[in-house]
Amino acid sequence: MSALARLATRVAYGATQLPRLAWYAGHGYAVQRLAARARRREAADETPARQETPRSGDNRAPVLSNQRLYGDMAELLARDLAHVETGLYPLPADHDGSLPTLIRRSRLFFADLPDIHRRRTEGRHDEVLDETTRGTRPDYYLQNFHFQSGGWLTEDSAQRYDTQVEVLFKGTANAMRRMALPELAEIFKGRDQRKLRLTDIGCGTGRFLDFVKQAWPRLPVTGIDLSEAYIKHARRHLRRWSRVAALVAKAESLPLPDASQDAVTCIFTMHELPPKVRREMIAEAARVLKSGGRLVIVDSLQRRDVPDYDGLLERFPQNYHEPYYESYLDEDFVQIAKANGLAHVREEPAFVSKVMVFDKSA
Ligand SMILES: C[S@@+](CC[C@H](N)C(=O)[O-])C[C@H]1O[C@@H](n2cnc3c(N)ncnc32)[C@H](O)[C@@H]1O
């Protein structure tokens, strides 16, 4: 890349990424102010049930400094940019939507905060399990994950989801998702992308598949998710691309033939699954992969990956209903993968996430 092209890439990257960081970090700041105001109001009302009770003998690890956090965010974005500069993937288009769309999603996001706050303080996370939903999905799935209204089930939840995730990660969720792309590039290199197959399990609203298609526009891809609303959203989000299938199905029983996929990905979904379902999902990934195929998982850091982050990880499920996160923190993915014929290739931290890579022996 010439010096001029490099400069143009850096300017273009900054011009797209910095405003989104500011947008979502601004949301995060507003959420903190609103939460502080709600706490003051509750303290003044003397509603004991709603007051935060300090944990006695709290022996959790300390939370790392903002300075360290922002430094690691900057490092993640520098890696993202370096991947673009070395041609691993094109300058990313986040496709966040037009300004009216962003504002509509932002309103939905803020409108849900009082209900989230109520569920969090009352410990309620079962509002989506009722007579209309019972039996339509596994019970573990029918919860108010993140305390959000509608759990994974509603249109509004699908519309709100990406704002929530980006606010949580201060605008870096997409950059963390893109850290899976070099791992795919490594096995796709020199091959005809039209003849390869990739499936993304728990594809949600389709953000990761969009980046896959930006890198390999002719690659046939399949997104699988148990939420009809999220799949509908993913289809809309991915409609600019051809060779995309988006299916409503369970991670633990994929509607795909044995040895049919060159790559399987799973982004920010593993920590949402009960331990038993995690194992079933990995067994399914191994079943549908061709020999020589690759499983790439991007999800939260686990305990002791980067010890300075342990305090942050341990506090995360307190504020977001994450019923399986505690068990995720100590899950042994290398052993589960090995038991299913998948060899551990590498894993690497990426800000608050990590990328885990497993290959099915050729
Ligand atoms: C935290 S979201 C992650 C979505 C997306 N991969 C991303 O990058 O943001 C978890 C997703 O997994 C889906 N999911 C949870 N359990 C599932 C299961 N057993 N089978 C299929 N999808 C599942 C949910 O519907 C939701 O869309």
Side-chain angles (χ1 to χ4, degrees):
M1 192 182 253
S2 71
L4 193 61
R6 189 178 294 270
L7 180 65
T9 303
R10 290 185 177 187
V11 169
Y13 186 85
T16 50
Q17 294 304 314
L18 296 180
R20 48 189 321 275
L21 292 184
W23 174 259
Y24 292 114
H27 279 61
Y29 179 69
V31 171
Q32 275 174 14
R33 296 291 299 264
L34 290 169
R37 205 199 295 167
R39 277 197 299 271
R40 278 199 303 274
R41 201 174 322 117
E42 284 159 8
D45 287 351
E46 290 182 317
T47 321
R50 292 185 169 219
Q51 284 175 23
E52 234 169 67
T53 36
R55 290 164 57 128
S56 62
D58 189 346
N59 55 5
R60 293 174 300 178
V63 175
L64 77 179
S65 69
N66 275 342
Q67 195 185 3
R68 168 71 190 280
L69 212 60
Y70 289 124
D72 288 352
M73 265 172 73
E75 196 185 300
L76 169 78
L77 297 174
R79 265 164 74 189
D80 194 30
L81 175 61
H83 292 157
V84 175
E85 289 179 345
T86 52
L88 277 170
Y89 46 85
L91 191 71
D94 290 280
H95 293 142
D96 289 318
S98 61
L99 190 58
T101 303
L102 279 174
I103 291 171
R104 188 165 41 79
R105 291 188 182 145
S106 175
R107 279 201 181 132
L108 273 171
F109 168 80
F110 282 109
D112 203 29
L113 294 182
D115 278 329
I116 290 180
H117 182 68
R118 174 184 56 76
R119 289 188 198 101
R120 186 181 289 141
T121 49
E122 292 173 1
R124 290 295 304 270
H125 42 71
D126 56 356
E127 293 175 7
V128 290
L129 179 61
D130 60 24
E131 58 285 356
T132 62
T133 57
R134 197 183 301 277
T136 60
R137 302 278 190 283
D139 280 0
Y140 73 79
Y141 187 81
L142 297 172
Q143 303 189 48
N144 294 87
F145 286 91
H146 310 163
F147 292 116
Q148 66 189 0
S149 296
W152 301 126
L153 300 186
T154 63
E155 282 284 318
D156 276 359
S157 157
Q159 287 287 338
R160 236 186 265 118
Y161 172 77
D162 288 290
T163 307
Q164 277 186 337
V165 175
E166 288 292 9
V167 173
L168 176 66
F169 295 133
K170 298 179 172 32
T172 63
N174 277 346
M176 288 192 278
R177 291 182 177 109
R178 290 193 287 270
M179 294 301 123
L181 299 177
E183 308 300 340
L184 299 173
E186 187 174 71
I187 56 158
F188 289 172
K189 197 170 175 201
R191 300 167 74 186
D192 182 348
Q193 55 182 271
R194 293 166 304 181
K195 301 207 169 100
L196 300 171
R197 297 288 179 274
L198 176 142
T199 286
D200 185 36
I201 305 180
C203 67
T205 57
R207 266 39 186 187
F208 175 65
L209 282 179
D210 189 21
F211 296 119
V212 170
K213 293 297 285 185
Q214 289 176 37
W216 298 282
R218 290 187 292 280
L219 172 71
V221 301
T222 303
I224 290 189
D225 200 284
L226 198 41
S227 167
E228 270 163 35
Y230 281 57
I231 281 289
K232 215 166 133 191
H233 188 107
R235 286 189 187 129
R236 261 199 316 274
H237 189 68
L238 297 167
R239 71 184 157 207
R240 61 176 62 79
W241 305 111
S242 61
R243 303 172 207 231
V244 175
L247 311 174
V248 179
K250 279 199 279 197
E252 54 272 45
S253 124
L254 299 175
L256 299 170
D258 294 0
S260 57
Q261 307 296 306
D262 297 278
V264 172
T265 52
C266 183
I267 317 290
F268 298 148
T269 293
M270 207 51 98
H271 74 274
E272 308 286 8
L273 304 176
K276 175 172 172 285
V277 180
R278 259 179 236 144
R279 282 159 178 72
E280 290 167 353
M281 191 241 112
I282 292 173
E284 277 294 87
R287 176 183 70 77
V288 304
L289 277 171
K290 298 177 187 169
S291 13
R294 175 163 283 188
L295 168 65
V296 183
I297 299 173
V298 177
D299 215 305
S300 163
L301 286 171
Q302 292 181 276
R303 218 184 317 261
R304 290 179 289 281
D305 280 339
V306 183
D308 289 350
Y309 275 82
D310 284 357
L312 195 70
L313 305 182
E314 285 164 12
R315 283 162 184 82
F316 176 56
Q318 231 174 268
N319 291 328
Y320 298 86
H321 177 54
E322 291 284 3
Y324 309 113
Y325 191 76
E326 183 59 32
S327 64
Y328 167 87
L329 285 181
D330 297 311
E331 187 64 279
D332 189 344
F333 286 100
V334 175
Q335 277 311 316
I336 303 174
K338 193 173 162 199
N340 287 285
L342 299 174
H344 184 229
V345 177
R346 67 179 76 89
E347 64 184 58
E348 199 172 349
F351 184 35
V352 290
S353 69
K354 66 168 173 179
V355 184
M356 297 179 256
V357 184
F358 305 93
D359 283 353
K360 186 163 167 175
S361 52

